[in-house]
């Protein structure tokens, strides 16, 4: 029987994980407004102990470390060695923050109880989300807080919908998978999120869709990201796409994203879910 989250471990420790680490600067820019909104919802206070789930390359961990100050501490967790290595580089010179290669679904961090758990797009990849969120709750003190940002449905997120449409136009419709399987859109449905957190023992669960934007400098940055991250590479693998297909898909995507470009750069509309709860 495969280990918990084995497919996600394999994925994030292979080429995709390395690509995300290499694209850290662009991804941090793309998700900067989401991070700001997450921090508003999480409210990390000076002196608090914070757990960052799916910390990636470390932007959320660093933001939390700055918020809690020298009397606080932050531990970022990820299952991807390439991303954890990049996060350690991000946090160099930040003595109140650390990174652990750990899957909260099957392991628990060796630390005193945390006051707060936060996550920017890091909690949608568990194959047993109830167990994972029960373990997160167990790592917090009674009354500890949870604050997460997850993606809403693709129809409200051109960053997902437009690349998928461009790839479908070229390659055809891909095989239908389980829409609730681990993946970036697995927590798109607020009702499902509330059921999972309730089953894991959380109280006061709130899931609030919020509109924001994903900022990039220009269309070139968007195409550079979309070529290796998101629906296009997945569909290219599933449908045996060629380099010629990829070029055509990216040309179509460039045209589709064009209306979001302006004098201040590219601003792609997005909708996220802000999830909060109490342990």
């Amino acid at each position: 029987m495969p280990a918990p989250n084995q497919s996600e471990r394999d994925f994030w420790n292979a080429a995709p994980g390395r690509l995300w680490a290499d694209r850290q600067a662009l991804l941090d820019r793309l998700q900067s407004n989401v991070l700001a909104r997450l921090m508003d919802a999480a409210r990390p206070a000076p002196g608090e102990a914070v757990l960052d789930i799916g910390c990636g390359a470390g932007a959320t961990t660093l933001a939390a470390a700055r918020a809690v100050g020298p009397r606080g501490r932050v531990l970022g967790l990820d299952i991807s060695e390439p991303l954890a290595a990049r996060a350690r580089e991000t946090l160099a010179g930040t003595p109140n923050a650390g990174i652990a290669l750990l899957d909260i679904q099957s392991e628990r961090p060796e630390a005193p109880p945390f006051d707060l758990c936060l996550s920017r797009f890091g909690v949608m990849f568990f194959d047993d989300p109830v167990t994972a969120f029960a373990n997160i709750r167990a790592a917090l003190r009674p009354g500890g807080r949870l604050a997460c940002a997850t993606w809403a449905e693709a129809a409200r997120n051109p960053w997902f919908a437009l690349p998928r449409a461009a790839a479908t136009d070229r390659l055809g419709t891909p095989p239908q998978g389980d829409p609730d399987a681990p993946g970036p859109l697995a927590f798109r449905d607020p009702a499902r999120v509330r059921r999972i957190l309730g089953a894991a023992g959380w109280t006061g669960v709130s899931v609030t869709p919020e509109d924001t934007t994903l900022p990039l400098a220009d269309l070139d940055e968007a195409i550079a990201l979309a070529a290796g991250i998101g629906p296009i590479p997945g569909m290219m693998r599933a449908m045996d796409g060629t380099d010629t297909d990829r070029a055509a898909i990216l040309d179509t995507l460039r045209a589709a994203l064009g209306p979001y470009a302006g004098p201040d750069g590219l601003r792609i509309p997005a909708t996220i879910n802000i999830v909060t709860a109490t342990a």
Side-chain angles (χ1 to χ4, degrees):
M1 188 172 183
N5 289 324
Q6 189 59 54
S7 62
E8 293 297 319
R9 291 174 187 267
D10 293 344
F11 182 87
W12 291 106
N13 282 285
R18 295 191 294 272
L19 183 63
W20 276 67
D22 291 342
R23 297 287 193 272
Q24 174 193 3
L26 287 183
L27 286 164
D28 284 347
R29 186 181 307 163
L30 181 81
Q31 298 175 1
S32 58
N33 290 340
V34 177
L35 175 57
R37 181 62 194 94
L38 174 63
M39 296 300 288
D40 287 344
R43 306 183 315 279
E48 285 194 317
V50 179
L51 188 63
D52 180 10
I53 303 296
C55 66
T60 49
T61 312
L62 180 60
R66 289 170 172 168
V68 301
R71 294 187 296 107
R73 59 186 178 84
V74 184
L75 178 64
L77 306 182
D78 211 285
I79 62 172
S80 169
E81 180 56 52
L83 284 168
R86 182 56 58 91
R88 294 183 186 105
E89 295 175 4
T90 300
L91 295 168
T94 308
N96 65 331
I99 299 295
L101 194 68
L102 186 148
D103 183 355
I104 195 69
Q105 180 178 308
S106 54
E107 306 168 79
R108 294 183 184 177
E110 295 181 1
F114 293 88
D115 301 294
L116 166 67
C117 173
L118 55 78
S119 179
R120 182 186 66 176
F121 300 145
V123 295
M124 304 93 73
F125 301 96
F126 301 118
D127 58 23
D128 184 351
V130 172
T131 294
F133 276 97
N135 283 343
I136 293 170
R137 183 175 59 84
L140 269 61
R141 62 169 175 78
R145 313 184 310 281
L146 173 73
C148 305
T150 72
W151 293 107
E153 64 268 30
R156 300 178 69 176
N157 281 291
W159 184 243
F160 291 97
L162 294 181
R164 182 179 179 85
T168 299
D169 286 346
R170 178 75 182 191
L171 302 173
T173 302
Q176 181 65 42
D178 178 2
D180 293 333
L185 299 176
F187 274 25
R188 68 197 178 282
D189 178 8
R192 179 172 187 255
V193 175
R194 286 191 288 268
R195 288 195 300 271
I196 289 170
L197 292 184
W202 294 85
T203 62
V205 178
S206 173
V207 186
T208 306
E210 296 192 7
D211 295 331
T212 185
T213 59
L214 308 177
L216 289 169
D218 51 35
L219 284 166
D220 289 341
E221 287 192 345
I223 297 304
L225 278 178
I229 291 171
I232 291 174
M235 289 183 64
M236 287 284 293
R237 290 190 295 269
M239 307 289 282
D240 294 324
T242 66
D243 289 344
T244 301
D245 291 327
R246 180 184 291 105
I249 292 166
L250 293 176
D251 284 346
T252 299
L253 179 60
R254 181 182 289 272
L257 290 173
Y260 302 128
D264 296 326
L266 194 66
R267 300 292 183 270
I268 305 170
T271 303
I272 60 173
N273 292 326
I274 294 295
V275 181
T276 59
T278 302

